[in-house]
């Protein structure tokens, strides 16, 4: 994974570690924090290194203060001093501007707040260095600003912050130094002031950035119509429509009704109101490992998921030759890199797994596609492939609902963007005239 | 129905429910730590047999009782060890333990007493029956409190929900799971002791009669909380007591139906509960 | 085959043999004599082999049924009750119809399958419609089945000639044809083997089996791919019960020739171990059922020759379960170090 | 590959088979085989009683003996078959549930002598032994009615099956013989194994006001004896074996069913060259059923009651009283003026 990497992070600095997915950033972070051990080399720590995980390592069914004090509980006789624990969490929150209700159950919290809890948990352990692994992946622009102001406050107190990211905007806005990792090796390390964006990007991927196909104007009839949709506890009075050959982007902070909207459109959750959509539909779920694939199964079997009856051509048995042919078609057309279509899917990189998921959703040319964070956690090359295929589907006349927490992705792909907050649409931007600041404000509107 | 009849019914419900309650508390502990425990039946059997055996040879029922609890704990330890260190599938291990314990006790009867089926009468602790009932209920309350209020309880829950996060917080999930499984065995063993030395004064093949499995149902019905499981165990005891009382008094209702009453009631309760039964998130999953 | 796997296998087998020897020594029997009796009891002659095959058959049906449910992610511990209800219905139909023997046998098996399917489907429906935990419901249904069967055979369905909790004998013509004359090895065994192959085919080659496996392996992914988890739960439990119920029918028509409430010594529970030891793979389950069948019939012979009690065989079965589970662990570790 | 690995692992067990060789008993002299029913040895009841008869024959007649226990109804046939194949002189089937299996096996082994307890099998080489349990139970009921201070007595059964109805009907009739208006509770545990449930159910009956409990529930009946131990003025009546010593002074008597006597008699007759045939009924007259001799309770009961019991016994023996054997017959039973 990693090969002769050396890295220093000094007290009081924000050090950005960038690289494509699979470059070894998370592994490096885990080794630094002592969660994994390296084969050779050594880690020199002055004090504790805290790690804020990419996929938050919180215990969902414990409340905030329980997560924060776990393993070092304040005691009163044999019991946990709950008053002290709550006060401790509140004080810590105030000191770093991380405002959280100590008694909230973690599983009830939106992603942005969960990250604060994760931060609090690490801060409670007085780290000398804090590693943040992809901290902004699911945050709204406002929350990103807030996070970095917290980090800045930390560095003023003498803590070193190593921020792992692939968003170059953040690097150039907040970091003092940047280290670029590619295929487990350090390929570039410089103060931010001495390097350009383009240089960093080239260093990351070791070549030119793939380009995304261009938008061609289309003018289709409306194929998806949602009127007055309501999903209990998530969405109220939501209406929208999508035309053939159109990508409708949905911007919003995670947990504001996007999942309910996608599920209602996919027919996975009960709803009130009317949904008018084509029967043929391709779905790219948001959580690949949990919702989209069966990692222990082969590519062939994964390629059939949801299309298993089609693989039998209507008969009760599965035509294995046809299934293999279809899988091969997906692998070839969507550039899934694998040694064999019979290999377990788990042996593939995340990007290649995702390409299979996208291919499965698009191969039958459905008239309607739901894409939910289709490029979350995959590398630039795979991202480019996925974006290209989504645009190709659009250009063939598919209506596409694109839910993404990355505004850049929405801006690059969408024909139209709606902003969702607290279960309702708060604004619409048409004709590819997207105003980042206005969208950011609407995302956090009540 | 007179007051004394109601009281005797409630008393019977408590006696009937307590062994199930004790085993279900064990089940709650081990499952909250992340170990599926279908071995409760075997642990109760081992506890009951060992208690009768030791009481017979030492002529001291208290040593017998302690021995029964210890043997239950040892069986729980074996389950925990297989599940954590060997990473054996927990359900498979539990099945194996049930088979070994029931078979082993039957075999032990022949080997030790040279008679099949049942031990001779042994010194018992019948006078401790009610203290044990009260102990069971107190234990449920104490465990409820300990799980939510003490550092150990918090750490145990953390291991059942997300052992990786627990590890990151400096807790050894394997040790916690092993300990929880052993304590669970001890509690189930105490359930067996209650039957063999508290209510009766012997061990007899088949005397556990599915109580360990009912305890497992109580764990799930009680939503993995000590008080919940205890409540379900006692309600189950009450239904059995009712069944006992009604038999012969309702001529048109066959006794077989009445005997099935508690189980039918449980099914109906399942219907109504419309199950948001969420087991601990990492239950049954080996770590690491 | 990997060396570690072989080593673990050898260790496991040795462990079981050592445990059996200890058991025999403890009951003052020379292990040589004991093993002799054990293997003679399991494989020593036509009658012994037939008994082993009869136990194999009795375990194979419910084990295959359990595998269906487990593969769908449903922990069906109700095979015992499903077997009982299936056997009851089979035994009742068998005494009620008068048709050609082949038809009657088909009807008996169908009745068994139907009875078991209904009993399994109750738990499946509870799961599908109400989200009820199948562990509790199948467990409760076991107790209810036992009470129901006892009530019916001593009450409404009581046979005029019955002294105990059983129905009348089936007409001789409806008894299952035997594989070996004068034994209890019947055509139920090839039927079960056929079912195992069919099950393997269904699981691997049909969209129904695919959905079942997907729902078991990754329920959320399956649900999002449009597979109805409720429908899978209902059908998997019904089929699971149907196979267990056919096991009851096989016992009724092949071994007892009548329904008796005590027709099973817990086959439905031992079959869980059989299914797990067989790794939930139909063909491997056949092999596991043979091993357990040999243990059952060899164990029965052991008590005759060596006065080892009837339940001691459970110890050996338990150790076997442990040994094979540990073998898988050791084998897996071997695989990762390579 | 994994399937292969599993197959080999199962076969490893089978590999030891090679050592096997027949170990049949040579069967010189008198050899007695016995198949228990599911209750098995240690039931403190009729399996144990039969076993005592066997041991007696071993000591007095020098017989070689062997006992096979059954775990389910499906085990009866192979167990009987195994003994028949080992050429035992006399093979005992202990329990009415074996009648259908024995009928078949007796035909297959016409030169082997069989005996069955509690059922009638009409084959030339089978002697059927039944007991008039209702007679002994009648005496137990009469004693209970005389001893009850509350005029309220109880019956505790194992499972609600016809065989136990003989006990229940005789007991209730005997009580009515003494006091036509006496209150009798009859409850069933639903199990012969669950000793604790036996105790709890007995407690319910005691709490309802009954002060004498007649427990016909195998091992579970021991729970009833425990229940009366701590209650002042409450007594139990044991069943099948002499249980008076389990709680001296608290078990009024036991309704002994002398399976041991019958078993021994059959063996003795065989050795004497005059094997028994047909249906042999063991009633009060034959000493097949009786109450024990009140070793611990004679003083409590008193000579007047014991004399009255003797009069009732004589009336049953000479046919003036016919104790009912079913609950239906009980409904029409009228006390007889002596």
């Amino acid at each position: 994974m990693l090969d002769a990497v050396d890295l220093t992070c000094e007290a009081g600095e924000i050090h950005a570690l960038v690289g494509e997915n699979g470059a070894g950033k998370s592994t490096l972070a885990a080794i630094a924090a002592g969660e994994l051990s390296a084969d050779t080399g050594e880690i020199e720590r002055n004090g504790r290194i805290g790690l804020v995980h990419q996929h938050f390592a919180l215990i969902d069914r414990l409340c905030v203060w329980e997560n924060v004090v776990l393993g070092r509980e304040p005691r009163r006789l044999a019991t946990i001093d709950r008053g002290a624990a709550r006060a401790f969490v509140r004080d810590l929150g105030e000191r770093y501007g991380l405002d959280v209700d100590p008694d909230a159950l973690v599983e009830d919290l939106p992603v942005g707040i969960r990250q604060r809890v994760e931060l609090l948990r690490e801060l409670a352990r007085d780290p000398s260095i804090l590693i943040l692994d992809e901290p902004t992946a699911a945050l709204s622009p406002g929350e990103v600003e807030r996070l970095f102001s917290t980090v800045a406050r930390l560095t003023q107190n003498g803590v070193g912050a190593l921020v792992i990211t692939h968003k170059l905007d953040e690097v150039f806005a907040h970091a003092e130094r940047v280290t670029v990792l590619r295929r487990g090796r350090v390929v570039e390390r410089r103060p931010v002031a001495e390097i350009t964006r383009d240089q960093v990007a080239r260093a990351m991927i070791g070549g030119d950035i793939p380009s995304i196909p261009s938008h061609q104007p289309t003018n289709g009839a409306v194929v998806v119509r949602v009127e007055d949709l309501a999903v209990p506890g998530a969405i109220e009075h939501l209406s929208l429509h999508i035309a053939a050959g159109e990508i409708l982007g949905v911007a919003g902070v995670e947990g504001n009704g996007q999942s309910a909207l996608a599920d209602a459109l996919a027919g996975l959750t009960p709803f009130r109101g009317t949904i008018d959509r084509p029967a043929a539909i391709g779905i790219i779920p948001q959580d690949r490992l949990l919702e989209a694939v069966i990692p222990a199964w082969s590519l062939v079997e994964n390629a059939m998921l949801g299309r298993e009856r089609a693989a039998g051509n209507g008969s009760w048995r599965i035509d294995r030759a046809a299934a293999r042919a279809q899988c091969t078609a997906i692998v070839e057309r969507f550039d899934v890199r694998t040694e064999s279509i019979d290999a377990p899917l788990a042996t593939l990189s995340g990007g290649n797994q995702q390409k299979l998921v996208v291919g499965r959703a698009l191969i039958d040319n459905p008239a309607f596609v739901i894409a939910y964070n289709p490029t979350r956690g995959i590398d630039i090359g795979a991202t480019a492939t996925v974006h290209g295929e989504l645009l190709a589907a659009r250009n063939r006349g598919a209506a596409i609902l694109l839910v993404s927490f990355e505004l850049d992705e929405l801006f690059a792909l969408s024909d139209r963007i709606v902003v969702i907050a607290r279960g309702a649409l708060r604004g619409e931007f048409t004709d590819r005239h997207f105003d980042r600041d206005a969208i950011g404000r609407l995302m956090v509107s009540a | 129905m007179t007051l004394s009849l109601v009281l005797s019914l409630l008393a019977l419900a408590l006696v009937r429910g307590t062994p199930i309650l004790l085993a279900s508390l064990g089940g709650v502990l081990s499952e909250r730590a992340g170990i599926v425990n279908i071995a409760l039946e075997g642990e109760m059997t081992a506890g009951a047999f060992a208690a009768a055996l030791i009481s017979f040879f030492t002529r001291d029922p208290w040593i017998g009782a302690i021995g029964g609890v210890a043997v239950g704990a040892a069986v729980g330890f074996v389950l925990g060890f297989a599940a954590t260190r060997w990473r054996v599938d927990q359900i498979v291990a539990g099945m194996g333990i049930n088979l070994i314990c029931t078979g082993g006790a039957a075999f032990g009867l022949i080997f030790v007493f040279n008679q099949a089926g049942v031990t001779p009468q042994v010194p018992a602790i019948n006078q401790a029956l009610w203290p044990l009932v009260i102990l069971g209920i107190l234990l449920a309350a104490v465990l409820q409190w300990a799980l939510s209020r003490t550092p150990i309880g918090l750490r145990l829950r953390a291991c059942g929900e997300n052992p990786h996060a627990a590890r990151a917080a400096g807790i050894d999930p394997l040790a916690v799971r092993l300990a929880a499984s052993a304590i669970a065995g001890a509690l189930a063993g105490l359930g067996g002791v209650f039957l063999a030395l508290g209510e009766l004064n012997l061990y007899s093949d088949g005397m556990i009669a599915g109580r360990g499995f009912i305890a497992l149902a109580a764990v799930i019905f009680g939503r993995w909380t000590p008080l919940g499981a205890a409540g379900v165990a006692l309600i189950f005891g009450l239904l059995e007591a009712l069944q006992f009382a009604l038999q012969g008094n309702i001529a048109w209702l066959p006794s077989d139906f009445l005997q099935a009453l508690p189980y039918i009631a449980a099914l109906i309760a399942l219907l109504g509960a419309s199950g948001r039964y969420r087991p601990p998130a990492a239950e049954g999953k080996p770590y690491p | 085959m990997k060396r570690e796997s072989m080593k673990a296998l050898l260790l496991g087998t040795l462990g079981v043999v050592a445990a059996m020897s200890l058991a025999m020594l403890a009951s003052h029997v020379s292990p040589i004599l004991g093993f002799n009796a054990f293997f003679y009891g399991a494989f020593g002659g036509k009658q012994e082999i037939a008994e082993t095959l009869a136990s194999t058959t009795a375990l194979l049906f419910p084990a295959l049924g359990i595998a269906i449910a487990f593969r769908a992610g449903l922990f069906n511990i109700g095979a015992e009750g499903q077997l009982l209800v299936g056997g009851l219905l089979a035994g009742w139909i068998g005494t009620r119809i008068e048709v050609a023997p082949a038809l009657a046998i088909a009807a008996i098996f169908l009745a068994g399958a139907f009875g078991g399917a209904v009993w399994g489907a109750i738990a499946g429906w509870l799961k599908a419609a109400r989200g009820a935990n199948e562990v509790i419901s199948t467990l409760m249904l076991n107790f209810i089945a036992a009470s129901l069967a006892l009530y019916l055979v001593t009450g409404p369905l009581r046979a005029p000639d019955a002294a105990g909790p059983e129905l009348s004998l089936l007409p001789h013509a409806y008894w299952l044809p035997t594989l070996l004359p004068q034994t209890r090895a019947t055509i139920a065994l090839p039927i079960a083997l056929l079912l195992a192959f069919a099950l393997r085919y269904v699981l691997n080659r049909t969209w129904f089996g695919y959905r079942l496996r997907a729902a078991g392996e990754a329920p959320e992914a399956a649900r999002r791919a449009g597979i109805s988890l409720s429908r899978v739960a209902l059908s998997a439990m019904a089929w699971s019960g149907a196979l267990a119920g056919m096991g009851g029918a096989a016992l009724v028509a092949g071994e007892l020739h009548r329904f008796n409430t005590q027709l099973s010594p817990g086959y439905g529970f031992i079959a869980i171990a059989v299914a797990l030891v067989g790794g939930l793979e139909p063909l491997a389950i056949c092999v596991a059922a043979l091993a357990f069948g040999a243990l059952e019939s060899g164990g029965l012979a052991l008590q005759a020759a060596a006065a080892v009690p009837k339940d001691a065989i459970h110890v050996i079965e338990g150790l076997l379960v442990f040994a094979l589970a540990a073998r898988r662990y050791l084998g897996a570790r071997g695989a990762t170090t390579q | 590959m994994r399937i292969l690995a599993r197959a080999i692992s199962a076969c490893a067990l089978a590999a030891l088979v090679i050592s096997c060789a027949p170990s049949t008993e040579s069967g010189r002299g008198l050899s007695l085989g016995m198949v228990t029913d599911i209750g098995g040895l240690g039931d403190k009841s009729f399996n144990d009683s039969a076993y005592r008869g066997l041991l007696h024959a071993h000591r007095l007649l020098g017989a070689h003996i062997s006992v096979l226990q059954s775990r389910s109804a499906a085990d009866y046939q192979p167990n009987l078959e195994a003994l028949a194949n080992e050429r035992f002189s006399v093979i005992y089937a202990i329990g009415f549930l074996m009648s259908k299996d024995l009928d078949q096996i007796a035909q297959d082994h016409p030169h082997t002598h069989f005996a069955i307890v509690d059922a009638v099998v009409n084959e030339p080489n089978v002697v059927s032994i039944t007991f008039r349990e209702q007679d002994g139970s009648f005496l137990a009921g009469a004693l209970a009615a005389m001893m009850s201070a509350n005029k309220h007595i109880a019956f505790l059964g194992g499972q609600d099956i016809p065989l136990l109805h003989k006990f229940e009907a005789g007991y209730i009739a005997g009580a009515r013989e003494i006091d036509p208006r006496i209150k009798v509770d009859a409850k069933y545990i639903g199990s012969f194994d669950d000793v604790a449930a036996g105790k709890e159910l007995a407690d319910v009956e005691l709490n309802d006001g009954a002060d004498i409990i007649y427990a016909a529930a195998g091992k579970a009946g021991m729970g009833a004896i425990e229940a009366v131990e701590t209650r002042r003025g409450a007594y139990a009546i044991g069943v099948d074996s002499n249980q008076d010593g389990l709680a001296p002074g608290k078990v009024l008597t036991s309704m002994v069913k002398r399976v041991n006597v019958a078993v021994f008699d059959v063996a003795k007759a065989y050795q004497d060259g005059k094997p028994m045939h047909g249906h042999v009924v063991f009633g009060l007259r034959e000493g097949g059923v009786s109450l024990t001799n009140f070793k611990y309770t004679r003083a409590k009961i008193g000579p007047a009651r014991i004399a009255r019991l003797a009069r009732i016994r004589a009336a049953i023996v000479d046919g003036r009283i016919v104790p009912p054997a079913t609950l239906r017959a009980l409904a029409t039973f009228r006390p007889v003026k002596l």
Side-chain angles (χ1 to χ4, degrees), chain A residues 34 39 123 155 204 227 413 418:
Chain A
D39 296 335
L123 292 174
T155 51
M204 277 167 71
E227 298 287 351
L413 297 180
V418 290

Side-chain angles (χ1 to χ4, degrees), chain D:
Chain D
M1 196 59 204
R2 272 161 67 223
I3 294 176
L4 183 67
R6 284 196 199 102
I8 291 173
S9 70
C11 290
L13 264 177
L16 286 158
V17 173
I18 299 155
S19 67
C20 78
S23 66
T24 320
E25 297 290 331
S26 59
R28 268 179 224 100
L30 183 66
S31 58
L32 307 173
M34 161 177 153
V35 178
T36 75
D37 80 349
I38 296 164
L41 294 183
D43 66 349
K44 295 279 173 196
S45 187
F46 81 140
N47 286 305
D48 275 359
S49 180
Y51 186 56
R52 276 199 304 279
L54 223 56
L55 287 174
H56 196 56
H58 169 65
R59 279 193 300 271
L60 254 66
L61 310 177
H64 166 78
I65 61 172
S66 178
V67 179
L68 298 191
Q69 303 197 61
S70 309
R71 297 157 309 156
S72 80
D75 283 352
Y76 299 147
Q77 205 263 1
N79 276 343
L80 289 168
E81 187 78 41
L83 292 176
N85 287 337
E86 296 205 3
R87 300 181 196 292
F88 276 83
S89 332
V90 183
I91 294 165
Y92 295 90
I94 310 300
F96 57 90
L97 287 172
M98 278 175 250
S99 57
K100 284 169 181 145
D101 303 293
L102 183 61
D103 204 337
Q104 185 65 38
I105 285 177
Q107 289 175 38
D108 295 345
H109 299 269
H111 303 299
T112 306
H113 195 59
F114 295 93
I116 185 161
V117 175
D118 276 355
V120 179
V121 172
N122 290 314
E123 294 297 332
N125 54 335
V126 177
V127 53
S128 307
I129 302 160
T130 60
F131 294 84
R132 294 182 54 86
E133 292 91 350
Q134 67 272 27
D135 292 5
S137 299
F138 191 92
L139 291 176
L143 175 64
M146 288 189 275
M147 291 296 290
S148 174
N150 299 351
K151 294 294 161 212
H152 186 170
I153 62 173
F155 175 82
L156 184 63
Q159 277 188 342
D160 198 350
I161 53 175
L163 178 70
L164 288 192
H165 295 164
K166 282 166 97 177
F167 290 80
E168 184 188 343
Y171 179 71
I172 297 176
R176 290 193 186 148
E177 173 71 29
I178 300 298
D179 176 359
R181 279 168 316 188
I182 193 161
K183 193 171 172 202
V184 189
D185 282 346
K187 292 183 196 272
Y188 285 87
I189 301 165
S191 156
F192 289 102
D193 290 328
D194 195 335
V195 191
K199 184 186 184 195
E200 290 153 7
L201 198 45
D203 273 328
V204 170
E205 295 183 327
L206 293 169
N207 290 338
D208 282 346
D211 50 9
I212 317 276
I213 296 182
Y214 179 42
K219 279 192 287 188
M222 288 188 292
I225 294 174
E226 287 230 6
V228 299
E229 261 193 296
T230 52
R231 301 251 187 167
R232 186 187 289 271
Y235 300 95
I237 296 175
V239 92
D240 286 348
S241 297
N242 185 340
Q243 298 180 316
D244 297 3
L246 286 178
K250 295 301 282 184
V251 182
L252 283 179
T253 182
S254 298
M255 201 294 279
V256 177
K257 183 172 159 183
R258 292 214 166 80
V259 184
N260 52 341
V261 171
V263 163
F264 181 81
D265 285 357
V266 167
K268 181 86 172 58
Y270 184 88
Q271 199 185 35
D272 294 346
K274 294 172 285 191
M276 289 188 199
H277 293 286
H279 181 190
V280 184
V281 178
F282 283 78
L284 281 173
R285 194 203 325 250
E286 297 81 7
V289 295
S290 74
L291 298 187
T292 53
N293 60 0
F294 317 114
K295 183 175 171 192
Y296 305 100
T297 51
R298 183 169 291 277
K300 270 193 194 104
I301 298 170
R305 293 192 182 108
I306 291 177
R308 192 170 177 195
L309 273 180
R311 285 199 299 280
I312 296 173
R313 183 182 184 284
I316 297 173
V317 168
D318 65 26
R320 276 178 294 153
I321 297 178
V322 183
T326 62
L327 295 176
R328 184 165 297 172
L330 173 67
T332 57
F333 174 81
R334 295 285 169 267
V336 180
K337 273 266 186 295
L338 289 179

Side-chain angles (χ1 to χ4, degrees), chain A residues 22-223:
Chain A
K25 296 170 298 188
S26 296
T27 311
L28 181 58
I31 290 172
E35 289 184 6
L36 288 177
S37 54
D39 296 335
T40 58
E42 53 191 276
I43 309 274
E44 192 179 314
R45 302 180 183 88
N46 279 324
R48 201 190 133 82
I49 297 181
L51 173 59
V52 177
H53 298 78
Q54 183 178 7
H55 304 289
F56 308 132
L58 293 172
I59 301 170
D60 286 355
R61 267 183 271 171
L62 297 187
C63 68
V64 169
W65 69 260
E66 285 175 323
N67 266 286
V68 174
V69 303
L70 180 66
R72 48 213 306 284
E73 306 86 359
R75 301 186 186 208
R76 191 174 54 204
L77 298 177
T79 66
I80 300 174
D81 188 340
R82 310 210 295 177
R86 288 192 189 96
F88 174 72
V89 172
R90 256 190 228 106
D91 290 349
L92 205 63
E94 272 168 28
R95 188 162 5 129
Y96 293 104
L98 297 165
D99 179 25
V100 188
D101 171 12
D103 284 308
L105 206 57
V106 166
E107 67 180 350
D108 295 338
L109 296 175
V111 179
I113 311 284
R114 282 192 202 202
Q115 185 175 49
R116 289 185 206 163
V117 180
E118 181 109 357
L119 263 170
L120 280 175
R121 192 187 61 186
E122 291 310 324
L123 292 174
R125 287 159 173 70
D126 289 327
S128 57
I129 290 176
L130 195 60
I131 304 175
L132 297 117
D133 192 0
E134 303 272 0
T136 60
L139 300 188
S140 68
E143 283 178 318
V144 172
E145 287 309 314
R146 238 178 113 155
L147 173 74
F148 276 105
S149 70
T150 303
V151 173
R153 210 178 302 189
L154 280 173
T155 51
Q156 282 157 23
N157 291 350
V159 177
L162 182 68
V163 178
I164 298 172
T165 183
H166 61 264
K167 294 182 183 170
L168 297 187
D169 287 346
E170 292 165 6
V171 176
F172 285 89
H174 303 287
E176 280 132 40
R177 280 202 297 167
V178 58
T179 296
V180 180
L181 212 56
R182 188 171 77 233
R183 295 190 183 177
R185 287 169 180 276
V186 173
V187 292
E188 192 73 76
R189 177 180 300 124
R190 266 191 241 181
V192 168
E194 298 170 14
I195 193 167
T196 66
R197 258 173 118 84
D198 216 37
Q199 284 171 307
V200 174
R202 276 172 198 283
M204 277 167 71
I205 53 177
D208 288 325
I209 304 160
S211 60
I212 297 175
S214 63
H215 273 261
Q216 293 159 9
T218 53
N219 216 345
V222 169
V223 292

Side-chain angles (χ1 to χ4, degrees), chain C residues 63-323:
Chain C
L64 291 173
I66 285 163
I68 296 180
F70 277 34
R71 289 295 283 271
L74 298 161
F75 192 43
N76 173 17
I77 56 175
E80 185 76 3
Q82 292 147 14
L83 185 149
L84 201 63
V85 173
L88 176 64
L89 209 59
W92 183 71
I93 286 284
T95 55
R96 286 302 160 115
I97 51 172
E98 283 180 37
V99 291
L103 272 180
I105 287 171
I108 286 169
F109 268 106
L110 277 180
F114 179 74
V118 167
W119 216 246
I122 295 175
W125 178 79
L126 280 166
K127 174 92 181 176
R130 314 294 309 184
N133 185 299
E134 75 278 6
V135 177
I136 309 183
S137 57
T138 53
L139 183 64
M140 297 297 144
L141 282 164
N142 280 342
F143 289 107
I144 296 172
S147 300
L148 177 78
L150 192 61
Y151 165 66
L152 287 175
V153 300
T154 56
L157 301 184
R158 190 176 164 202
D161 59 335
E166 58 182 27
L167 299 176
S168 304
L169 273 181
L170 303 185
H172 207 291
Y174 298 173
W175 296 11
L176 291 185
T178 52
L179 295 177
L180 300 162
Q182 306 290 319
T183 70
R184 298 202 302 174
T186 65
I187 58 157
L189 179 63
I191 291 175
L193 289 174
L194 223 59
L195 280 173
F197 277 98
L199 180 58
R200 182 176 140 90
Y201 185 86
V202 167
L203 283 175
N204 294 333
R205 297 293 189 88
T206 68
W207 58 262
F208 172 73
Y210 178 89
R211 287 184 171 186
L212 200 131
R213 288 188 291 126
E217 193 87 33
E220 196 50 36
R223 191 177 77 87
R224 291 190 173 268
I227 295 169
S228 160
L229 296 183
S230 310
R231 220 174 293 168
V232 168
L234 189 62
S235 53
M237 281 304 297
W239 281 108
S240 180
L243 278 173
M246 285 178 84
L251 276 171
V252 164
E255 296 197 24
L256 278 113
H257 307 125
R258 63 186 187 271
F259 173 76
N260 180 309
T261 55
Q262 294 161 338
L263 87 169
S264 161
Y267 285 134
F269 292 109
I270 299 169
I272 299 175
V274 174
L276 290 171
V277 167
L280 306 180
E281 293 282 351
L283 299 190
I285 288 173
C286 295
V287 179
L290 180 65
F292 275 78
L295 276 174
E296 292 272 318
S297 68
L300 218 53
L302 202 56
Q303 63 158 330
V308 174
K310 57 179 176 163
D311 302 289
I313 213 68
H314 288 324
V315 181
I316 293 156
E317 284 172 349
L319 284 170
L320 188 67
V321 169
F322 246 97

Side-chain angles (χ1 to χ4, degrees), chain A residues 263 268 283 285 290-294 296-297 301-302 304-306 308-309 314-318 320, chain C residues 201-208 210-211 213-215 217-227:
Chain A
D263 284 356
L268 292 169
I283 300 174
L290 191 68
E291 298 175 348
V293 300
I294 302 174
W297 285 11
E301 290 206 293
N302 271 290
M304 268 193 284
L305 191 62
E308 63 275 354
R309 289 190 78 161
S315 136
W316 48 272
R317 60 183 284 274
I318 289 169
R320 296 231 278 195
Chain C
Y201 185 86
V202 167
L203 283 175
N204 294 333
R205 297 293 189 88
T206 68
W207 58 262
F208 172 73
Y210 178 89
R211 287 184 171 186
R213 288 188 291 126
E217 193 87 33
E220 196 50 36
R223 191 177 77 87
R224 291 190 173 268
I227 295 169

Side-chain angles (χ1 to χ4, degrees), chain B residues 89-193:
Chain B
D89 184 283
Q90 296 171 7
I91 292 168
V92 178
M95 289 291 309
I97 281 177
N98 282 338
L99 284 169
I100 291 171
C101 288
T102 48
F107 183 72
L109 283 174
I110 300 276
F111 178 52
V112 178
F113 300 105
N114 201 24
Q115 78 177 34
V118 59
T119 63
Q121 290 175 324
V122 302
I125 49 169
N126 302 132
Q127 73 278 10
L129 187 70
W130 284 102
L132 276 175
V133 169
I134 294 164
L135 175 72
I137 295 168
L138 282 180
L139 264 177
V142 167
L143 286 178
Q144 181 86 20
W145 168 84
L147 272 182
S148 67
R149 297 294 176 91
T150 65
I152 300 237
L154 176 61
R155 292 172 186 194
L156 186 138
R157 282 185 288 141
C159 291
E161 294 290 344
N162 186 343
H164 300 278
R167 169 82 265 181
I171 298 160
D172 179 359
L174 291 187
V176 170
R177 286 181 167 193
L178 198 54
S181 186
I183 296 170
L187 284 165
L190 185 59
V193 169

